[in-house]
Amino acid sequence: MIWFGFGFNGFGQICSPKSGEPILSNEDVEIKIVVPVRLRDYGPDRERRCHISASWSQRAFLQLEGDRHVCMGCSQADPPSQTVCVCVPQSHGCQDALVSERYLTLAFTDKIECWGFDATDSVPVWKMECMGLETAGIPAPLPLVLGGYVVSTLPFFQPLSPHLCAVSLALGMEHAVLLTASGTMYTWGSSSHGQLGHGELGREEEPRPVEALWGVAIRGVAAGGWHSICISDGGDMYTWGWNESGQLGLPSHSVQGDRLCRTAADQEVGMQKEEEGPVSSEVFISIQAFPALLDLPQEVEVTKVQVICTHGDGVSMVS
C-alpha cells in the first residue's frame, strides 16, 4: 500500500525537506505541498499494511495485519520533529479507528468505544454496544455505526436515515460527505468554502446528491476541515472546497512566502518590479466549488483516500 500526501506541511507531517532527515527548525519546512508526494514514513511498522486516521496534531496508525491495534503518532512543533508512535493498549483487536483532537474512537465487532486523551480514568468516555456491526463480513467504517454515526463532540451519536443505505461517511468541520451502496455521493452542512460541491456557498440541511458527478460510480469519500475528496470506481480522484494550503492538489498561494519578512534589499527589488509591471500570470485557486479531476504523479490508480481534518488548512493522503 503506497500513500501520497499534499497540502499543509507546517509540522513536517507530510515530508521533511531532506529525504527523511530530522527537521531542525521551522525555516526548514516546506509549508505547502501542492504536488502529491509519496509518504516515506507513515507508521511504526512499514512492512505491514495500515490504515491512517488523523487530525490537526494527532495521527493514528491502525495495523491491518496480525494483531490489529492502534499506534498514536504526532509531530511536534518549534521545531517539528519526526513522528513518535505509542501503542494504545485499549485498541487491541479493534476493526477500525477514528481520531480527533481530543478523542480516539475504536470500533470492535460488538461495540464502539470513545477514549479521551486527557482522561485519567480506565474507562471510555462513551460506549455503544453494536451487536451485528459486521455486514457480509466487512466492518462498517467509522464514523458510521449502527443506526447513525459518531461525532467528536457530545452527544457523540447522531442518527442517520436508513433509506440512504450508507456504506461510508466522512465528516469535516462543518459538513458531511456520504457514500451510498449504489455509488452515489451526498453532502450536507455548510458550503462556506465550496466543500459541498454544489457550486454554491450556502448551506444544505439535508443530504443532497452531488450532481456534478451524477452517473459516476464513486468508491470512496473523505473530508477535511473545509474541503472534500472522492475517488471513482475507475481510480479517478476528484477534489473540491478550500484550497488555501494546496490541500486540493491545485495551484495555491505560498504560505511560506507570505510569512517571510522581506529584507531592505528585497523591498527595493520588489518596488522596482512593481514599476515594471506584473511578471507572472500564474493562476491560483482558493475555492473550488465543483469537483475537479486531479492528476496524480506516475500512473497510479487510487484505491483509498484519507484527509487530515484541520482548523482551516488541510493535508490530503491517498493510497
Side-chain angles (χ1 to χ4, degrees), residues 90 98-100 102-108 111-117 119 123-128 142 150-154 156:
Q90 299 90 344
L98 186 67
V99 69
S100 66
R102 297 179 57 190
Y103 302 103
L104 174 65
T105 303
L106 302 173
F108 299 86
K111 62 184 177 181
I112 306 292
E113 293 182 346
C114 186
W115 295 83
F117 296 135
V123 296
V125 296
W126 177 79
K127 183 176 180 180
M128 176 181 179
L142 290 172
V150 179
V151 295
S152 59
T153 57
L154 289 171
F156 294 110

Side-chain angles (χ1 to χ4, degrees), residues 18 29 35 40-41 58 114 167 169-170 176 190 260 275 300 318:
K18 297 181 181 180
V29 180
V35 178
R40 301 294 179 180
D41 183 9
Q58 305 285 351
C114 186
V167 295
L169 177 69
S190 171
L260 293 176
E275 294 176 357
V300 176
V318 300

Side-chain angles (χ1 to χ4, degrees), residues 38-249:
R38 182 172 176 177
L39 303 185
R40 301 294 179 180
D41 183 9
Y42 49 82
D45 190 344
R46 301 176 185 84
E47 300 301 322
R48 301 172 65 180
R49 295 171 55 245
C50 72
H51 163 77
I52 300 177
S53 177
S55 65
W56 173 250
S57 62
Q58 305 285 351
R59 277 185 284 175
F61 305 94
L62 172 61
Q63 299 296 336
L64 301 178
E65 297 177 352
D67 177 22
R68 297 176 69 108
H69 64 279
V70 171
C71 290
M72 294 296 301
C74 62
S75 296
Q76 305 296 328
D78 299 325
S81 65
Q82 292 181 329
T83 300
V84 177
C85 295
V86 179
C87 181
V88 180
Q90 299 90 344
S91 67
H92 286 282
C94 71
Q95 300 298 305
D96 200 2
L98 186 67
V99 69
S100 66
E101 283 300 283
R102 297 179 57 190
Y103 302 103
L104 174 65
T105 303
L106 302 173
F108 299 86
T109 56
D110 59 348
K111 62 184 177 181
I112 306 292
E113 293 182 346
C114 186
W115 295 83
F117 296 135
D118 299 329
T120 57
D121 298 335
S122 58
V123 296
V125 296
W126 177 79
K127 183 176 180 180
M128 176 181 179
E129 299 296 332
C130 289
M131 296 302 297
L133 176 67
E134 294 187 347
T135 302
I138 302 175
L142 290 172
L144 284 177
V145 296
L146 192 64
Y149 57 97
V150 179
V151 295
S152 59
T153 57
L154 289 171
F156 294 110
F157 175 79
Q158 296 290 333
L160 190 64
S161 177
H163 83 274
L164 291 173
C165 299
V167 295
S168 181
L169 177 69
L171 300 176
M173 293 292 291
E174 302 175 322
H175 75 294
V177 184
L178 181 144
L179 178 63
T180 68
S182 64
T184 303
M185 182 172 54
Y186 292 78
T187 62
W188 69 95
S190 171
S191 190
S192 58
H193 297 76
Q195 62 265 45
L196 297 187
H198 303 309
E200 305 168 354
L201 302 182
R203 184 176 182 85
E204 295 289 338
E205 299 297 337
E206 299 294 332
R208 174 183 171 183
V210 180
E211 297 177 1
L213 295 177
W214 190 264
V216 178
I218 303 300
R219 179 192 302 174
V221 297
W226 288 280
H227 72 290
S228 307
I229 298 179
C230 74
I231 54 176
S232 70
D233 273 347
D236 292 326
M237 180 174 176
Y238 299 87
T239 65
W240 62 96
W242 202 25
N243 192 47
E244 175 63 20
S245 294
Q247 55 264 51
L248 301 185

